[in-house]
Amino acid sequence: ASMAVMLVLAITNWFSLSHLSAAQNASHQKAQAAGEMKHVAGLGAQLYRVVADTYINRQFDDAAKKWQAVTADIDKSLDFAAKTVSTDDARRGVQAGRDTMTALRKLYTEQFLPLAKQGAKNEEIAGLDDQIDKLIDAYDDAFSKVAADLGVAANLASQEFDDMVVQTRWINSLSVLVGGLLLAGLGLAVSRSITQKLGLEPAEASAMARRIAQGDLSPSLYARSARPDRVAAALAEMLGTLEGVV
C-alpha cells in the first residue's frame, strides 16, 4: 500500500513537471520566433542597400551575389514565418510580405537592373527607385506587425509558464501533504491491525515478555480479558499452565 501511495505521488509530480516543461518550451519557442521576425523585417533594409550599390557602384557581379544571398535568407525566413505564426492576422502579414517581396524581385530584375547596366540617368532610375523603396517599406511594415503579434504571444506564453510554476508548486506541496497523511493513516491502520491480532498493545506485550523473563508468570489484566482468538489470550493460557506446573 505504501508503494502504491509513493507511485501515485511520483506520477502526479511527473505529470505536473511535464506540463511545466512543455509550457517552458512553448514560451522559449515563441520568444525565439518573435526575435526571428524582427530579423526578417530588417532584411528589407539589406536588400535596399544591394539595390543602391547596383546603381551607385555598378559592380554588377558583386551586387548579384549579394542579392542572391539576401533573397535566399529572405526565402528561408518567409518559410520559417509561415510555419511559426498561429493567428489569421499574422498569416495575412506573412503572405503580404511574401507578395511584396515577389513584386520587388520582379521590379529589380526586369526593370531596375537592366536600366542600371545600360547606364541610365538618375531621372530614369528615380521612379523605379521610389517604387522599390515603397515596396521595401511595405515589406518591413508587414513583418513588423508579425513580430509584434508573436511578441504578444510570447508574453502570454511566458505568463502562462509563470502561472504553471506557481500551480506546480501547489500541486507538489499538496501531493506531499496528502501523501504524508495517507502514509500516516496507513501506519495507524497497520498498528491497529497488529494490536487487534495481539490482543494488547505492542508496549504491553514487551512488558509482559520482560516479566516472564524475570520469573513473573502471572498474566496481565489485558491478556486475561483478550478475545480467545488473540495472541494475548493464548499467552495468558500458557502462563496459567506454567504457573500451575511451577
Side-chain angles (χ1 to χ4, degrees):
S2 61
M3 289 297 295
V5 171
M6 297 302 294
L7 180 61
V8 170
L9 291 177
I11 292 174
T12 300
N13 288 332
W14 180 80
F15 272 113
S16 61
L17 291 175
S18 296
H19 289 161
L20 183 62
S21 177
Q24 184 180 31
N25 289 337
S27 175
H28 175 72
Q29 290 173 359
K30 289 180 180 180
Q32 186 179 24
E36 180 65 21
M37 288 306 101
K38 292 179 180 179
H39 167 70
V40 175
L43 292 176
Q46 293 184 34
L47 204 59
Y48 187 76
R49 283 196 290 270
V50 176
V51 173
D53 287 343
T54 300
Y55 180 72
I56 295 172
N57 299 323
R58 299 182 184 275
Q59 300 293 326
F60 299 117
D61 290 339
D62 183 56
K65 292 178 182 179
K66 292 179 180 178
W67 177 268
Q68 184 177 8
V70 176
T71 53
D73 194 5
I74 289 174
D75 287 339
K76 182 180 178 181
S77 298
L78 286 170
D79 290 339
F80 173 82
K83 295 176 182 178
T84 303
V85 296
S86 57
T87 66
D88 291 338
D89 286 343
R91 292 189 187 95
R92 283 192 290 268
V94 173
Q95 187 58 49
R98 192 184 295 275
D99 293 342
T100 301
M101 189 52 58
T102 299
L104 177 58
R105 283 173 168 171
K106 185 176 181 180
L107 184 62
Y108 175 79
T109 57
E110 296 182 5
Q111 298 184 51
F112 185 90
L113 186 58
L115 284 177
K117 288 182 177 181
Q118 294 170 13
K121 297 180 181 180
N122 289 345
E123 53 269 20
E124 296 180 81
I125 292 289
L128 293 176
D129 182 73
D130 185 58
Q131 292 180 52
I132 290 174
D133 190 38
K134 289 179 178 179
L135 286 172
I136 289 177
D137 286 344
Y139 170 86
D140 290 346
D141 183 62
F143 275 97
S144 294
K145 291 178 180 178
V146 173
D149 183 81
L150 286 175
V152 171
N155 290 335
L156 291 175
S158 178
Q159 183 60 50
E160 182 180 357
F161 170 71
D162 291 341
D163 293 341
M164 288 195 69
V165 168
V166 175
Q167 182 181 5
T168 300
R169 288 174 179 170
W170 276 105
I171 290 175
N172 290 341
S173 299
L174 288 174
S175 63
V176 170
L177 177 61
V178 171
L181 292 174
L182 288 175
L183 289 175
L186 180 61
L188 181 60
V190 170
S191 176
R192 288 183 176 179
S193 176
I194 292 173
T195 299
Q196 289 177 356
K197 291 180 180 180
L198 289 176
L200 69 169
E201 295 290 340
E204 294 168 351
S206 297
M208 182 181 293
R210 284 194 295 271
R211 290 201 305 273
I212 292 173
Q214 294 170 2
D216 183 1
L217 302 180
S218 59
S220 69
L221 174 62
Y222 295 105
R224 289 196 300 270
S225 61
R227 288 173 49 181
D229 59 344
R230 297 294 185 254
V231 174
L235 183 59
E237 183 179 352
M238 180 191 71
L239 290 176
T241 301
L242 288 175
E243 188 177 20
V245 172
V246 175

